[in-house]
Amino acid sequence: MICYGESVLDLVDELVDAYAEVFSAPPWNEDAETIRRFGPRLRADSRRHGFRTALAQSEAGVDGFATAWLTPPGLPTGRAYGQVAAQLGPARVRRLLTGALEVDELAVRPFARGRGTGRALLAEITADAPDGRAWLLTSRIATDTVATYRRLGWHEVAPLPGAPERTAVVVFLAPHHPGAAGL
């Protein structure tokens, strides 16, 4: 199920619970304060242009979710965006990311893994990405997550020559992103 804009806020407590279960565990190891800030961040993000949430639900509640929005011109400051800008450079950020659907969070509870839940959430959240243009970033230390995106056909964007070779994040383009052909 896809929720657009602020309609997801009815489920914010369940999403925070799922977020806490997924991201407090290794390799993420997010602390209580970071987890607490997810609820307010989700409320703010729900007002972003093109915001949507894909949900996987069962009798147990929210099994997993994904959030995304359209990337505005010029990356925001904060979080890992500085690393993305340093790796790609301004021209590639404009060409590959601006106006594309940015998948911000993908969280699948441990009991729902290994059943295609993450794959289904990614497919659903990116189904109407403009011209197939979707992207995401993940932590380099999340080796299983990086391997999953590769296995699902997402394309890793190599850093520009002279850019930091090994930053903490990996940027991926969706399987049908037209910019992936030039990578």
Side-chain angles (χ1 to χ4, degrees), residues 28 74-90 92-93 96-97 102 135-142 156-172:
W28 313 105
L75 291 177
T77 59
R79 298 182 68 197
Y81 290 115
Q83 293 177 61
V84 171
Q87 282 185 55
L88 274 60
R92 289 202 304 170
V93 165
L96 299 174
L97 309 184
E102 175 183 349
W135 71 282
L136 58 82
L137 65 92
T138 192
S139 174
R140 190 172 296 284
I141 64 169
E156 184 174 343
V157 181
L160 286 172
E165 284 294 317
R166 301 280 296 173
T167 65
V169 299
V170 181
V171 177
F172 283 97

Side-chain angles (χ1 to χ4, degrees), residues 19 30-39 41:
Y19 182 92
E30 290 193 1
D31 61 22
E33 178 58 23
T34 304
I35 290 166
R36 185 200 63 73
R37 287 192 310 248
F38 178 67
R41 180 165 59 90

Side-chain angles (χ1 to χ4, degrees), residues 52-73:
R52 77 266 332 252
T53 304
L55 299 168
Q57 296 176 291
S58 68
E59 293 176 8
V62 173
D63 295 348
F65 70 92
T67 60
W69 54 74
L70 297 176
T71 306

